[in-house]
């Protein structure tokens, strides 16, 4: 780990890493111009995935795990679309783009005042887990069977440590919500397989609530 990581994350005697989180009240939330999303059916999405795979190969997405404190409990920051779809902040990498550069770009795009914001301000930490789409119509799985030689998509989750304060500027057609980890845990129906598995990925960390 680098020096920056050691500031917010260290190891205890038991080998568990420590992560500092700050109260939700330390952060400012504003809005900006809406992002245009593709309004498509499942069939349209599969067709688009097949076309992109033929042109670029494996699709790689990167998503951020951002934590804050509320009511003395760790909360996960999630984007909500159409009052029903929950997503971790992030998105698809561009061809040749690194995981960290791509995640910083996506975070600036969706959570900063402008798309050209200072991408270096996002402290991207370690990869918490990876999910794979075996073919175009399957759900994401947290493993890749040895029989699958050409997966179609890989989604990587990274712990992104937040500073003591910052501004979150969110597109007006999205909501940025703080959801308790206890509510997310194994709640596949509401949050999907990836998000509902985040609390388990964080079990190796000792979460320190910093009172301001």
């Amino acid at each position: 780990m680098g020096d920056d990581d050691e500031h917010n994350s260290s190891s205890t005697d038991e080998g568990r890493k420590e992560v500092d989180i700050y109260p939700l009240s330390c952060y400012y939330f504003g809005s900006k111009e809406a992002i245009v999303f593709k309004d498509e059916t499942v069939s349209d999405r599969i067709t688009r995935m097949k076309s992109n795979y033929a042109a670029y190969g494996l699709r790689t997405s990167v998503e951020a795990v951002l934590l804050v404190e509320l009511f003395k409990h760790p909360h996960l920051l999630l984007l909500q679309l159409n009052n029903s779809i929950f997503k971790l902040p992030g998105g698809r990498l561009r061809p040749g783009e690194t995981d960290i550069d791509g995640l910083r770009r996506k975070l600036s795009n969706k959570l900063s005042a402008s798309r050209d914001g200072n991408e270096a301000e996002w402290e991207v930490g370690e990869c918490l887990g990876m999910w794979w789409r075996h073919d175009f119509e399957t759900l994401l799985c947290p493993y890749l069977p040895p029989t699958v030689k050409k997966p179609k998509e890989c989604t990587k989750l990274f712990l992104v440590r937040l500073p003591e304060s910052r501004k979150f500027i969110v597109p007006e057609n999205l909501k940025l919500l703080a959801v308790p980890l206890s509510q997310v845990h194994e709640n596949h129906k509401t949050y999907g397989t990836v998000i509902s598995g985040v609390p388990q990925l964080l079990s190796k960390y000792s979460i320190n609530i910093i009172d301001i």
Side-chain angles (χ1 to χ4, degrees):
M1 280 192 171
D3 292 338
D4 290 339
D5 288 345
E6 293 176 356
H7 176 71
N8 287 86
S9 177
S10 59
S11 296
T12 66
D13 293 338
E14 295 78 18
R16 296 183 70 198
K17 297 179 179 179
E18 296 184 344
V19 177
D20 296 341
I21 65 172
Y22 299 93
L24 183 66
S25 58
C26 292
Y27 303 101
Y28 169 84
F29 297 88
S31 62
K32 60 182 179 180
E33 183 180 353
I35 291 179
V36 178
F37 292 96
K38 295 182 177 66
D39 186 14
E40 59 186 2
T41 64
V42 174
S43 177
D44 291 338
R45 183 178 184 276
I46 291 174
T47 299
R48 180 167 57 86
M49 288 180 64
K50 289 180 178 179
S51 175
N52 288 338
Y53 182 82
Y56 306 111
L58 175 70
R59 170 191 172 117
T60 302
S61 297
V62 288
E63 299 179 349
V65 173
L66 302 162
L67 299 173
V68 298
E69 177 271 331
L70 184 62
F71 304 124
K72 300 298 181 181
H73 192 84
H75 284 55
L76 179 65
L77 293 184
L78 297 176
L79 291 168
Q80 185 184 40
L81 175 65
N82 298 330
N83 295 319
S84 60
I85 300 173
F86 294 92
K87 294 179 176 292
L88 291 166
R92 186 176 65 179
L93 295 180
R94 292 170 175 167
E97 191 173 37
T98 67
D99 295 342
I100 292 178
D101 286 345
L103 184 53
R104 285 174 173 165
R105 174 178 59 82
K106 284 294 184 178
L107 290 174
S108 293
N109 185 15
K110 294 180 179 176
L111 299 180
S112 293
S114 70
R115 297 184 180 184
D116 300 325
N118 181 13
E119 296 173 4
E121 69 185 358
W122 299 103
E123 187 182 343
V124 180
E126 69 178 280
C127 180
L128 297 175
M130 301 170 65
W131 277 258
W132 301 88
R133 194 182 303 277
H134 303 165
D135 57 50
F136 296 111
E137 299 186 19
T138 58
L139 299 175
L140 288 167
C141 295
Y143 61 91
L144 183 63
T147 55
V148 178
K149 304 302 182 184
K150 294 183 178 180
K152 303 304 183 286
E153 182 176 4
C154 177
T155 296
K156 302 178 183 181
L157 267 59
F158 288 85
L159 179 64
V160 177
R161 297 168 179 83
L162 291 176
E164 179 179 327
S165 64
R166 68 161 297 124
K167 294 181 179 180
F168 290 101
I169 310 298
V170 184
E172 59 185 7
N173 56 334
L174 293 173
K175 296 179 182 178
L176 185 61
L177 305 178
V179 182
L181 286 183
S182 57
Q183 179 176 320
V184 171
H185 178 54
E186 294 189 345
N187 192 344
H188 308 287
K189 183 176 180 180
T190 301
Y191 300 104
T193 303
V194 175
I195 294 175
S196 62
V198 167
Q200 289 181 312
L201 297 177
L202 293 172
S203 63
K204 63 182 177 181
Y205 293 92
S206 178
I207 298 177
N208 299 324
I209 295 175
I210 308 299
D211 293 322
I212 303 299

